[in-house]
Amino acid sequence: MKPGMRKFSSASPSAADLGKLRVAPGVDRRRPSTGRSAGTSWRRGGVWLTGLAAVTVLGASAASITSLQQVAEQRSELRILLNEFKAAAWQQDALRSEAMLARGLPSELADAREEIDDTVDTIGARFDRQDPDSSHTKAIHDAYLAYDTAADREFQLLKYEDLQGAEETAAAQTDPAFAALLPVLEDADGDYEALAEQASGRARTGTVVILACAALLIMGLVWQAQRIRARALRRATHQATHDALTGLPNRTLLRERTAAAIDRPRQDGTGTALLLIDLDRFKEVNDTLGHHYGDQLLVQAAHRMQQAVRSGETVARLGGDEFAVLLPSIAGEPDVTAVAARLHEALNAPFTLDGLTLTVAGSIGAALHPHHGDTADELLQRADIAMYTAKGKRIGYTVFDHSQDSTDPRKLTLASDLRQGIEQDQLVLHYQPKVDTRTGKVLGAEALVRWQHPEHGLIPPTEFIPLAEHTGLITPLTRFVLDTALRQCQEWLRDGHELSVAVNVSTHRLLDLDFPAEVADRLQYWQLPAHLLTVEITESAIMTDPDRALHVVQQLHALGVHLSIDDFGTGYSSMAYLKTLPVHELKIDRTFVGSMTTSDRDAVIVRSTAELGRNLGLRVIAEGVEDMATWQVLDAAGCDALQGYYISRPVTADAFATWLRHQRGAPAAIAP
């Protein structure tokens, strides 16, 4: 801002600050539609007609002013100034409304904000030049600054999606500031009228009219801005609490309504129930027909569920193909079962999607308050367990029962303890060696995570890995395993053992586009060559989203990381992708290896897999080797490396170092 200029809104965020905002997922970044209702068009048109009338009257007045040249020049300057202010104010409010609707600011809007800032600076300077000592000049600045600052505070709250805070700010600050601005404008109008009295009657009349029109213009623009902001706030609030595709309440609103239903006093003995619904064959539709059909299916399923419930009961979409139904007032389990049966029947009826007829079933789990939980989160967790029970048993729907296997209280406790276990270093890695089939030379080790629970002792991964995947803790868990394994690999290298280390990666991490960058960062931190790290992935993880998995695998390959398909032969439909995946090795699953000396079928599978690997130029590793006879058969079949209890059980890092010192490099020297 140039020296001497007073900016109208010095507390406004800069264009750089506004440019940091991001548009929320699912929000259209384009400018709002120009389609308006008749009422809106009339109101908006009224503001501009007022401005046109003011300019027309001013022109007529100016023609009659011949003697008071100074007053005429001042009036002309006011006309230009007020018109420019009108344009700047309108642009500023239009920009705010777009940013509020988007809860962010694209680059084109950020550039527009810079231009508006420059215009407001210029207007402030011209106000000062025209009447720098006038009290009403300062009053206009101060009142508009207060109003604009409050509006910007709303903008910042919306930036962080604090819709409640934005509403409170509007009620407590922006609206009062607007109310305070109006009398300031009226006082300024009176002052300008007094100034106009010094001129001739005609000049005075012209000046009074233009100043009154200017005040009316500003008041109209501010009122219009208030309407735009209120409408945008309502729309932003709806977007934050509803699903964009189906229009249903989302997880946030469902939790609020569930908590309110639980807390409501009851005299009739009723309770609250929460049902969780998962579409059984949605992924098949999405993968086979495409997302367009999948979206249609979700919309139709949402409509059917709404038709199956009563007024006052909430159908919500939690994400993907997962829905929930809140029954705020239910007599008991039989009524819940009846609702679940209606929902199940509605979802079992055929769907018609662009002329195609499809049948998609649903699995439903239910939980009741106070029998199964005291909070919204507890009810959702119990309903989730019941839903998976219904899906696993293929029974359509079921109500949560403490006798269900998956509702073991110990597992529920472990789920809540796992985060603390990761943060407090309760997890440890064990290492199981891999050896060369022909020479017995140690090639490396697979890192296997264990949980040393302070109360339950050593917990195997089969118990807590599914919990980590279900609760979202798989990301910090994988990060811990990767970092610890690379540190151990670096210690082996420092001790003169160039051994690779293998880390298992879950489906969640394999589909995480940020995972390759995380691997690159840890390799650089530990100063390790990438080929000493092997990432083990499963066929089923690849087939969950082949295109996305291929993208991640290609990035890992570009780093120089070795890639292994774990449990090969137990997945499905992977042969078509095997030729395109840049993998280095196949691991034959222990279910085939363990019985190959007694089962001809398993022996054929192992030999065929080994031959397939050789023909593709891949190293083949057999896991589950538990005796010398199996070792010898695998050697004859052409397997390159072995892993199993006959060689060594998974052991701690210290025990692995001791085991390593006692090896002589020959099969006969390796103890069980």
Side-chain angles (χ1 to χ4, degrees), residues 53 75 104 155 178 180 203 213 216 222 245 319 417 470-471 488 502 508 515 660 664-665:
R75 185 175 62 239
F155 189 99
F178 166 70
C213 290
L216 185 60
V222 174
L245 176 65
D417 290 348
H470 191 67
T471 58
Q488 184 59 56
H508 178 84
F515 182 61
L660 193 60
R664 298 291 184 269

Side-chain angles (χ1 to χ4, degrees), residues 429-435 442-450 481 485 492 499-505 534-537 564 566-567 585 587 590 621 623-624 642-644 649-651 656:
L429 293 190
H430 286 188
Y431 300 89
Q432 187 173 35
K434 302 177 182 179
V435 300
V442 182
L443 303 174
E446 180 180 359
L448 301 166
V449 65
R450 304 289 188 266
V481 173
W492 292 335
L499 304 177
S500 65
V501 64
V503 172
N504 292 280
V505 174
T534 297
V535 171
E536 295 190 359
I537 56 182
S564 173
D566 196 14
D567 301 334
E585 68 182 34
K587 290 188 72 175
R590 67 182 71 250
I621 298 179
E623 56 183 356
L642 307 174
Q643 181 180 347
R649 291 176 176 271
V651 294
F656 184 87

Side-chain angles (χ1 to χ4, degrees), residues 6 97 102 249 457 507 520 658:
R6 180 186 296 114
S97 66
T507 302
T658 302

